[in-house]
């Protein structure tokens, strides 16, 4: 399992030329994360340190996980013991990158911005510079670039390109630059907890995508592969699809309804090429020099909304169609950051959307109830569709008999199918009298008299010290 970092595990007694690491800074952050199980509360304040480096434009690059949910951030540069208050300029949690700046006059004086470069060939040596835990001075760790492949970024859960170096990554060096030939080729960000001397860096191609995305003043993020696919390694399957011997590709098995206007594909199509590059039957593309990558990289490297030619085989006829790069409408979104949890409280029943954040309240993903976990990877049918769950039932006489309900999906309220938390709250708020009936996906029925439920809500809030019956996003 991958773990996030806040330095490479061993520090070599290397010395860089004077001034070569002047642009590498130490970042101190104080953060307070929300509690997605008790969504009206935050966890206690947490102090951490990380690394960063200065690029042109008086910008400091670091990891998003080092500055998420910030309450106070300071930066210290080499040779200066002063901590300068910093602010977040922009952040993209998908790629675990953030931009900071310092407004104090003179902070950037004498700091030469670092240059960005592409990854060198495999087996090239790289030096990771940063501030490991346990010391205040900059350290330099040497490693070899051993692999380039898509990996799941542990901070966001999104799969993007990462480069492997043969050194462990430990807390303290998050956001530190990986250098080759005097230029930055990547950013240290996570390591392999189950292995020794294996660490990962974010390639500068991902950083450059982030910076270009920011040019219009907003962050759109990275596209996804807009369809679910199946490899075509079985020869009988290929023959049944009328593929010629020289053809290879992947089979489209699902295209979300929400994407059909922008993505002119359909289940049963064989995708042969993306942007002119041949896809192998195992779903990979040969980039030369021994580098074979998942074909999704061709989508990830584009900005959202880019037109991309795709060669397909449909009913035995080869054709080229143009698709737009889009985000896949996952029913359960990836990790959410820098926003408070949504919740709604009625008669002691706590409702919340199903998110990865909520699932993360279990210590191990294997402990998440199957009823919830089965929705991972599935697509939404409506633009704002959410799965609403009863997180818990706070004990009160009005909900007697329902107090063991928890982590259960809501199917209907008064016979109306539930598609979002806002819709559920509106249905309950609008009912003036009679019985409220909530039916769960497992068939269980919860029935409460509306007047008794409304009387109980402030009583429950007072008993459990809950400041509001709903999150701020539901008050508008």
């Amino acid at each position: 399992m991958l773990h996030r970092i806040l330095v490479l595990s061993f520090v070599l007694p290397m010395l860089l030329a004077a001034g070569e690491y002047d642009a590498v800074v130490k970042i101190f952050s104080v953060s307070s994360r929300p509690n997605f199980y008790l969504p009206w509360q935050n966890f206690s304040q947490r102090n951490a340190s990380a690394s960063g480096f200065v690029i042109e434009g008086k910008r400091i690059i670091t990891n998003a996980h080092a500055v998420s949910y910030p309450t106070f951030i300071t930066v210290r540069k080499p040779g200066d013991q002063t901590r300068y208050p910093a602010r977040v300029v922009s952040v993209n949690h998908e790629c675990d990158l953030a931009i900071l700046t310092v407004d104090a006059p003179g902070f950037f004086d004498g700091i030469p911005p670092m240059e960005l470069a592409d990854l060198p060939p495999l087996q090239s040596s790289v030096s990771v510079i940063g501030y490991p835990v346990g010391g205040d001075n900059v350290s330099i760790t040497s490693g070899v670039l051993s692999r380039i492949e898509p990996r799941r970024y542990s901070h966001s859960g999104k799969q993007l390109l990462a480069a492997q170096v043969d050194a462990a990554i430990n807390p303290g060096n998050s956001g530190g630059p990986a250098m080759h030939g005097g230029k930055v080729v990547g950013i240290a960000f996570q390591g392999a907890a189950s292995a020794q001397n294996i660490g990962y860096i974010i390639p500068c191609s991902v950083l450059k995508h982030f910076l270009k995305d920011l040019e219009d003043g907003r962050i759109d993020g990275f596209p996804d592969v807009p369809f679910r696919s199946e490899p075509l390694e079985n020869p009988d399957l290929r023959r049944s699809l009328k593929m010629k011997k020289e053809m290879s590709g992947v089979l489209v098995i699902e295209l979300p309804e929400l994407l059909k206007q922008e993505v002119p594909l359909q289940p049963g199509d064989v995708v042969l090429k993306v942007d002119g590059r041949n896809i192998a039957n195992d779903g990979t593309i040969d980039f030369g020099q021994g580098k074979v990558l998942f074909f999704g990289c061709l989508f990830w490297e584009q900005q959202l909304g880019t037109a991309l030619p795709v060669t397909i085989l449909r009913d035995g006829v080869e054709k080229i169609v143009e698709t737009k790069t889009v985000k896949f409408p996952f029913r359960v979104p990836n990790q959410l950051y820098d926003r408070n949890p949504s919740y709604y409280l009625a008669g002691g029943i706590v409702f919340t959307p199903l998110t990865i954040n909520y699932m993360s309240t279990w210590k191990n993903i294997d402990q998440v109830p199957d009823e919830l976990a089965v929705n991972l990877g599935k697509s939404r049918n409506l633009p704002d569709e959410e799965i609403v769950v009863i997180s818990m039932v706070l004990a009160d006489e009005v909900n007697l008999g329902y107090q063991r309900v928890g982590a259960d999906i809501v199917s209907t309220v008064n016979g109306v199918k539930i598609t979002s938390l806002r819709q559920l709250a509106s249905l309950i708020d609008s009912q003036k009298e009679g019985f409220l009936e909530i039916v769960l996906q497992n068939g269980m029925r919860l029935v409460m008299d509306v007047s008794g439920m409304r009387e109980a809500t402030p009583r429950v809030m007072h008993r459990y010290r809950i400041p509001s019956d709903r999150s701020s996003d539901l008050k508008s």
Side-chain angles (χ1 to χ4, degrees):
M1 181 180 292
L2 293 176
H3 65 84
R4 291 178 289 179
I5 62 165
L6 276 182
V7 143
L8 296 177
S9 62
F10 60 92
V11 178
L12 301 180
M14 297 173 59
L15 294 176
L16 294 180
E20 194 167 340
Y21 57 79
D22 286 352
V24 182
V25 299
K26 186 170 184 178
I27 298 167
F28 302 86
S29 67
V30 181
S31 61
S32 179
R33 295 185 298 114
N35 185 336
F36 279 79
Y37 184 68
L38 301 172
W40 51 86
Q41 294 184 359
N42 270 27
F43 288 106
S44 59
Q45 184 173 283
R46 174 176 176 265
N47 293 276
S49 66
S51 304
F53 60 95
V54 177
I55 64 170
E56 52 85 25
K58 296 183 177 180
R59 295 176 291 180
I60 299 171
I61 302 298
T62 189
N63 285 142
H65 75 252
V67 294
S68 60
Y69 296 113
T71 57
F72 189 58
I73 302 172
T74 54
V75 173
R76 193 177 69 198
K77 56 183 178 179
D80 189 340
Q81 293 175 302
T82 305
R83 294 189 187 184
Y84 295 86
R87 59 182 173 87
V88 177
V89 174
S90 186
V91 62
N92 186 329
H93 292 285
E94 284 185 322
C95 61
D96 199 3
L97 289 172
I99 300 173
L100 310 180
T101 195
V102 174
D103 295 323
F107 176 84
F108 292 97
D109 293 349
I111 297 181
M114 287 187 158
E115 294 184 51
L116 306 180
D118 294 330
L119 286 170
L122 295 179
Q123 296 303 307
S124 298
S125 62
V126 293
S127 297
V128 178
I129 309 171
Y131 294 86
V133 292
D136 285 326
N137 295 316
V138 71
S139 72
I140 305 97
T141 305
S142 181
V144 173
L145 184 65
S146 54
R147 183 182 294 170
I148 303 169
E149 63 181 359
R151 292 207 68 87
R152 192 165 300 280
Y153 284 32
S154 57
H155 178 64
S156 65
K158 188 171 180 66
Q159 194 174 41
L160 291 171
L161 272 184
Q164 178 180 312
V165 293
D166 62 349
I169 300 268
N170 296 316
N173 215 51
S174 292
M179 307 285 293
H180 176 81
K183 296 182 179 180
V184 179
V185 296
I187 303 95
F189 80 120
Q190 67 187 32
S194 59
Q196 294 182 343
N197 297 334
I198 294 180
Y200 295 96
I201 61 175
I202 301 170
C204 272
S205 59
V206 175
L207 172 57
K208 290 175 182 177
H209 187 289
F210 171 39
L211 296 175
K212 183 172 180 57
D213 185 11
L214 187 58
E215 288 178 358
D216 62 359
R218 70 176 189 183
I219 293 296
D220 297 313
F222 289 74
D224 298 305
V225 177
F227 54 86
R228 290 180 59 236
S229 63
E230 177 184 352
L232 290 173
E233 296 177 288
N234 185 275
D236 291 338
L237 178 57
R238 294 198 299 272
R239 283 196 297 269
S240 72
L241 294 167
K242 303 177 182 178
M243 295 175 66
K244 298 176 182 177
K245 286 187 177 180
E246 66 273 15
M247 288 180 172
S248 63
V250 294
L251 177 66
V252 178
I253 59 175
E254 181 194 356
L255 178 68
E257 191 70 32
L258 290 173
L259 299 183
K260 288 188 175 179
Q261 283 191 327
E262 297 170 294
V263 183
L265 302 176
Q266 60 189 39
D269 287 345
V270 177
V271 179
L272 306 172
K273 300 179 183 180
V274 174
D275 202 18
R277 290 184 176 270
N278 293 316
I279 302 176
N281 289 321
D282 64 352
T284 61
I285 290 177
D286 185 358
F287 284 83
Q289 298 181 337
K291 189 165 65 174
V292 176
L293 300 176
F294 172 56
F295 78 93
C297 295
L298 297 177
F299 290 92
W300 304 337
E301 68 184 11
Q302 305 293 330
Q303 297 292 330
L304 274 176
T306 302
L308 205 60
V310 177
T311 304
I312 65 171
L313 185 71
R314 180 178 293 168
D315 298 326
V317 178
E318 185 175 340
K319 60 169 62 176
I320 298 177
V321 298
E322 191 175 85
T323 182
K324 289 288 185 68
T325 53
V326 295
K327 283 191 174 294
F328 194 90
F330 289 108
R331 189 178 297 174
V332 180
N334 283 330
Q335 286 275 7
L336 305 172
Y337 288 96
D338 297 334
R339 56 184 288 186
N340 291 323
S342 295
Y343 74 92
Y344 177 75
L345 173 67
I349 302 176
V350 181
F351 302 92
T352 191
L354 180 61
T355 62
I356 297 293
N357 304 69
Y358 175 71
M359 291 186 181
S360 297
T361 60
W362 279 265
K363 290 184 178 180
N364 191 310
I365 192 67
D366 295 333
Q367 296 174 343
V368 176
D370 292 342
E371 181 184 8
L372 306 184
V374 72
N375 294 284
L376 291 172
K378 292 187 177 179
S379 61
R380 297 193 307 270
N381 297 315
L382 300 170
D384 299 319
E385 182 182 9
E386 295 176 321
I387 297 173
V388 179
V389 300
I390 293 178
S391 176
M392 69 186 80
V393 178
L394 301 172
D396 185 84
E397 60 188 55
V398 76
N399 54 51
L400 182 65
Y402 307 144
Q403 292 159 12
R404 293 184 180 180
V405 174
D408 289 293
I409 295 175
V410 178
S411 181
T412 64
V413 170
N414 291 339
V416 179
K417 181 176 175 58
I418 296 303
T419 57
S420 73
L421 181 61
R422 181 175 293 275
Q423 175 214 19
L424 178 143
S426 178
L427 285 170
I428 296 177
D429 286 344
S430 63
Q431 185 170 346
K432 305 303 180 186
E433 57 184 13
F435 290 105
L436 175 75
E437 182 185 66
I438 301 167
V439 178
L440 306 181
Q441 185 172 276
N442 60 18
M444 183 177 180
R445 295 167 67 239
L446 285 68
V447 177
M448 289 193 295
D449 181 86
V450 169
S451 60
M453 178 199 72
R454 291 220 162 86
E455 289 176 4
T457 298
R459 184 169 67 235
V460 171
M461 291 169 58
H462 176 75
R463 181 182 299 146
Y464 292 93
R465 299 179 180 85
I466 301 173
S468 176
D469 69 340
R470 67 196 68 199
S471 52
S472 58
D473 60 309
L474 297 181
K475 291 180 180 179
S476 58

